[in-house]
Amino acid sequence: MAKKSNSVEFETIQKVIELIKTYFSGKKINLYEEIQELGIDLSIDKKFSSKFSKEIIQYLVENVNYGEFTTYSDIGNAINTKAYRAIGNVMQKNPLPLIIPCHRVIRKNGTLGGFMGETNESWQKNLKLNLLKIEGIK
DNA sequence: TGCATAATAACGA
DNA sequence: TCGTTATTATGCA
């Protein structure tokens, strides 16, 4: 039976789940690369429209690996802007949280910042903290 | 505590 | 569409 080019085999999904399990077990893997190697198209060009947002995401997937973290101002320096709030806006629209490591972006003063649109105490923000703990950051 | 700074959503016209 | 305004996962004086 013919499968559409943009559909994904169940087997592939299982592999993705294994990757995520591996990630949560504490092993250092690059989810973005590993998942893309399974043949799933995660190209940033398709997920983000503006050049501004592409630069931010590219910086993240290329420079912030497992166990590392960055700050909103670091990203600002990297792409030559002081619009730190705009960077947060891009994160909020991240279609692939976890895979694109927006949880590794924290505030310069050491506090967490937000996650998945939430700034107050919430399960989303708590999740961010726990992800960082798993990676040995916080 | 205020202001700068860029993107985006929400409006009206 | 297009201009204006409010909002934002920030940072710094």
Side-chain angles (χ1 to χ4, degrees), chain A residues 63-81:
Chain A
N63 298 291
V64 189
N65 295 312
Y66 195 107
E68 299 176 344
F69 68 95
T70 187
T71 66
Y72 297 98
S73 72
D74 279 345
I75 298 174
N77 290 332
I79 66 176
N80 212 24
T81 180

